[in-house]
Amino acid sequence: MSNWIINQGLSAFILVVWMGINIFLFVYFYLFYDLGPQFEYTRELLGSALPWARAPAAVLNFNCMLILLPVCRNLLSLLRGSFICCGRTMRKQLDKNLTFHKLVAYMIALMTAVHTIAHLLNAEWYTNSFQGRYGPLATKLSMLGDSRELNTTYLNPVRSNSTTPTILVFTTIAGLTGVVITLALILMITSSMEVIRRSYFEVFWYTHHLFIVFFAGLVFHGAGRIVRSQQVTDPPHNNSLCENQLENWGETADCPVAQFAGGFPQTWMWVIGPMIIYLCERLLRFIRYMQPVSYRKIVIRPSKVLELQLVKPGFKMQVGQYVFLNCPAISQLEWHPFTMTSAPEEDFFSVHIRLVGDWTEKLIKMVENLPEGGQGPKMAVDGPFGTASEDVFDYEVSMLVGAGIGVTPFASILKSIWYKFKDSDPKLRTKKIYFYWLCRETYAFEWFADLLQVLEKDMEERGMRDFLTYKLYLTGWDQSHVNHAMVHFDKETDIITGLKQKTSYGRPNWDREFEQVQQENPSSVVGTFLCGPQALAKDLEKKCVKYSDVDPRKTKFYFNKENF
């Protein structure tokens, strides 16, 4: 439990606070509408569906306020680099922005379902009340008109026997906007499923922009003021007395006609701030979109990986950061994230793009068809944005784990280390790095092996062979690979990468690796960084908890994962 608190304590605390606020809002507003005297007559028409509709609405207001903030990339980068979030533990929470975004979305979906079902029942019960099915008091309340001469105001929005629940839904502001909001939400949620997002990213991207429709409908949703409360009159209307003297309403001073009014719309007050912040976010992205980007070098590697070296005026980066790329020739709207593989010390920034999906396939085909010496297609760049890997130099010891193309942030880190050693940077705190790379195909190693060879040679020359320990794992192999390795087992360099460190076949034994790191660094804080699949993330996170010691004099592991 103590180890778990070290790695997950703050995340759990934030989650508990968020859930606590949701529960408080739901319970408070449920009791407010279920017990409030101003809604006594409203409950006479609607029963328990009134609090079941209004309590989720309060929770929806809170979560709709939050939903945009985790995707404001520039805001998160500003917080990450500011004094407000200077602590390592707090910065880790910013790296879980998409996880929180999804949690908030799930809560919105759940509360929307409850809110919608309750209001559909309300529409039915409004209609039944007007038709006199619920007794004389409900009928009397439903027949109250909106007349200044008679000093009456209506409670029931149904004004005709011909009005059905369906007509009520599609002829009121609340009903129409509710339908639009719900349809937009359904499309956004279904297109966000993992299988669709990975296989048909364009579908996810375009449907997610229905959030504009969602928020527009949300702002106007309460303008219809369909749920009405009783107003204070002079003389006052005594409910307990007057509900049994319906014929005396307006005839005696004790029972003036009950007055009702809709509540002031509040949703816009919850969401206006985040909407302005997000508008500024999109404006900044547009300004960056218009800034010119030129190509320094284009390399197409046989491993279906495209390397772009780009130059943009005023562009500054840190290790492990990522950018969003847009190619107008493919799509004006699509932006895709790519981790930069260059070091901050270089006069350009580079990305390695693997062929996955329609967008990358079109880009690689365009580059392949370029004439010799020709410039690549116009490219727009938004960023850079911070990730967990930025903090790698804040740890005395770092474990870097990359899977496939997930090695890209560590290319930037290892390059930067090479430059820091070359320039004898006194600010470098890191004393030891363990690097693990898991690949399915042999040719995936080829673009990164050159960098490792340079580092390997440089560390030997400086007498720092122990600074960088790296291990490469081939996870997809057959017997022919093994036979070939056995034949050449006595060679000084690896037959796949040409490095002195031999490639291992299969997957790492993480227990053994963590035990080794723990033994070699008995009193260090170890940052474990992963850019790879979720299954591997869960495994490494468990190992960090397992091998961390609560004793401050012993080894502690902190888990960090790249999130896009």
Side-chain angles (χ1 to χ4, degrees):
M1 178 58 72
S2 300
N3 292 345
W4 180 86
I5 290 173
I6 290 173
N7 278 277
Q8 300 296 332
L10 184 57
S11 298
F13 175 74
I14 292 171
L15 184 61
V16 168
V17 170
W18 170 73
M19 186 59 74
I21 294 173
N22 282 301
I23 293 171
F24 169 78
L25 288 171
F26 190 95
V27 172
Y28 176 83
F29 281 96
Y30 184 93
L31 296 175
F32 179 76
Y33 284 95
D34 191 47
L35 303 176
Q38 67 270 48
F39 296 104
E40 182 179 346
Y41 282 153
T42 312
R43 291 192 297 272
E44 187 69 29
L45 271 60
L46 303 178
S48 60
L50 173 64
W52 278 106
R54 299 308 302 157
V59 179
L60 282 168
N61 286 339
F62 173 63
N63 285 279
C64 288
M65 176 186 72
L66 297 177
I67 191 71
L68 288 176
L69 298 177
V71 292
C72 291
R73 301 190 291 261
N74 290 287
L75 174 64
L76 296 180
S77 290
L78 179 64
L79 291 174
R80 169 179 276 279
S82 72
F83 65 92
I84 300 173
C85 295
C86 57
R88 176 192 299 155
T89 307
M90 184 59 74
R91 286 200 301 270
K92 282 179 64 177
Q93 309 315 309
L94 296 177
D95 297 326
K96 298 178 181 179
N97 59 317
L98 293 185
T99 301
F100 186 65
H101 177 73
K102 292 174 185 177
L103 280 175
V104 172
Y106 294 149
M107 182 63 75
I108 289 175
L110 175 62
M111 291 297 106
T112 298
V114 177
H115 181 73
T116 302
I117 292 170
H119 267 317
L120 289 175
L121 292 173
N122 286 339
E124 180 74 26
W125 289 339
Y126 269 137
T127 305
N128 292 342
S129 295
F130 190 85
Q131 294 172 356
R133 298 182 185 180
Y134 294 153
L137 178 57
T139 304
K140 176 71 174 180
L141 292 168
S142 296
M143 292 304 169
L144 292 176
D146 200 359
S147 171
R148 291 185 179 179
E149 292 79 12
L150 299 176
N151 192 30
T152 59
T153 54
Y154 76 91
L155 174 61
N156 192 334
V158 175
R159 312 310 304 156
S160 168
N161 280 319
S162 61
T163 302
T164 64
T166 304
I167 292 174
L168 180 63
V169 169
F170 285 97
T171 56
T172 58
I173 294 175
L176 278 172
T177 54
V179 170
V180 171
I181 288 170
T182 304
L183 288 176
L185 185 63
I186 290 172
L187 288 172
M188 284 191 289
I189 290 175
T190 52
S191 66
S192 300
M193 296 170 62
E194 187 80 10
V195 62
I196 294 177
R197 195 170 74 250
R198 292 202 175 275
S199 302
Y200 307 97
F201 184 84
E202 293 79 4
V203 174
F204 158 75
W205 182 261
Y206 290 121
T207 53
H208 231 58
H209 279 76
L210 287 172
F211 81 92
I212 299 171
V213 176
F214 178 85
F215 275 92
L218 202 62
V219 168
F220 292 103
H221 184 58
R225 306 189 184 193
I226 199 167
V227 174
R228 302 169 74 79
S229 61
Q230 188 175 348
Q231 304 298 295
V232 177
T233 58
D234 187 19
H237 181 96
N238 188 328
N239 291 14
S240 57
L241 174 66
C242 298
E243 65 184 10
N244 298 315
Q245 300 181 20
L246 302 181
E247 68 282 354
N248 292 333
W249 282 27
E251 302 296 330
T252 64
D254 292 334
C255 288
V257 177
Q259 304 293 307
F260 300 93
F264 183 75
Q266 296 183 353
T267 302
W268 69 271
M269 293 188 288
W270 287 84
V271 301
I272 190 67
M275 287 173 68
I276 292 173
I277 292 173
Y278 189 77
L279 188 63
C280 295
E281 170 86 13
R282 296 306 289 254
L283 180 62
L284 182 56
R285 292 184 196 179
F286 178 74
I287 293 171
R288 287 175 171 170
Y289 172 80
M290 299 302 294
Q291 293 173 338
V293 177
S294 58
Y295 289 87
R296 186 177 184 272
K297 190 177 182 182
I298 300 175
V299 181
I300 301 178
R301 301 188 178 276
S303 52
K304 296 181 181 179
V305 172
L306 170 65
E307 180 185 354
L308 299 179
Q309 295 183 7
L310 305 170
V311 177
K312 184 178 181 180
F315 188 90
K316 294 180 180 179
M317 62 166 286
Q318 298 297 324
V319 293
Q321 290 187 324
Y322 68 97
V323 292
F324 275 79
L325 298 185
N326 170 271
C327 182
I330 299 175
S331 171
Q332 293 276 356
L333 297 176
E334 283 187 53
W335 292 81
H336 294 267
F338 296 96
T339 305
M340 288 179 286
T341 53
S342 52
E345 293 82 0
E346 294 174 313
D347 59 355
F348 63 91
F349 64 97
S350 63
V351 293
H352 284 71
I353 302 171
R354 184 165 59 101
L355 198 159
V356 179
D358 296 341
W359 191 88
T360 53
E361 182 180 3
K362 291 175 183 176
L363 178 63
I364 290 175
K365 282 185 178 178
M366 290 174 67
V367 172
E368 287 176 336
N369 294 328
L370 287 174
E372 189 173 346
Q375 277 285 308
K378 181 185 175 183
M379 196 69 69
V381 177
D382 184 24
F385 301 107
T387 66
S389 297
E390 271 189 89
D391 301 332
V392 66
F393 294 134
D394 292 339
Y395 294 90
E396 296 174 358
V397 180
S398 293
M399 293 177 68
L400 313 180
V401 183
I405 199 68
V407 75
T408 49
F410 308 133
S412 174
I413 291 167
L414 294 176
K415 282 184 182 179
S416 184
I417 286 172
W418 183 81
Y419 279 107
K420 290 179 187 299
F421 275 118
K422 184 179 176 183
D423 299 334
S424 300
D425 188 345
K427 296 179 181 179
L428 183 62
R429 291 177 52 193
T430 307
K431 300 175 181 177
K432 177 75 176 175
I433 285 183
Y434 298 85
F435 173 57
Y436 306 86
W437 189 12
L438 290 66
C439 272
R440 196 171 294 168
E441 302 95 359
T442 55
Y443 55 74
F445 288 113
E446 58 98 18
W447 73 269
F448 196 60
D450 294 342
L451 172 62
L452 290 176
Q453 285 179 348
V454 171
L455 283 169
E456 195 175 55
K457 182 180 178 182
D458 194 57
M459 296 302 168
E460 279 191 15
E461 290 176 352
R462 295 174 182 271
M464 300 182 65
R465 294 183 61 180
D466 294 335
F467 176 82
L468 174 64
T469 298
Y470 65 91
K471 298 181 180 181
L472 310 182
Y473 294 85
L474 185 64
T475 59
W477 49 276
D478 54 30
Q479 193 60 37
S480 63
H481 284 105
V482 179
N483 294 337
H484 187 58
M486 289 174 65
V487 171
H488 299 89
F489 78 96
D490 55 345
K491 292 189 68 173
E492 289 188 10
T493 57
D494 185 65
I495 58 173
I496 297 176
T497 63
L499 296 164
K500 291 185 178 180
Q501 174 66 45
K502 300 295 181 72
T503 300
S504 301
Y505 292 86
R507 300 181 184 278
N509 182 330
W510 290 115
D511 284 303
R512 186 188 303 158
E513 299 301 331
F514 273 81
E515 286 173 359
Q516 179 186 344
V517 174
Q518 190 181 50
Q519 291 170 5
E520 294 178 359
N521 307 276
S523 60
S524 297
V525 177
V526 182
T528 304
F529 297 85
L530 168 69
C531 188
Q534 191 60 37
L536 182 56
K538 290 180 179 178
D539 194 19
L540 290 178
E541 193 167 12
K542 289 178 182 177
K543 301 304 179 190
C544 285
V545 171
K546 179 179 178 180
Y547 289 97
S548 288
D549 199 302
V550 291
D551 187 338
R553 296 167 298 178
K554 296 183 179 180
T555 310
K556 290 186 286 294
F557 292 87
Y558 288 91
F559 180 73
N560 304 269
K561 184 182 183 300
E562 300 287 317
N563 293 290
F564 295 108

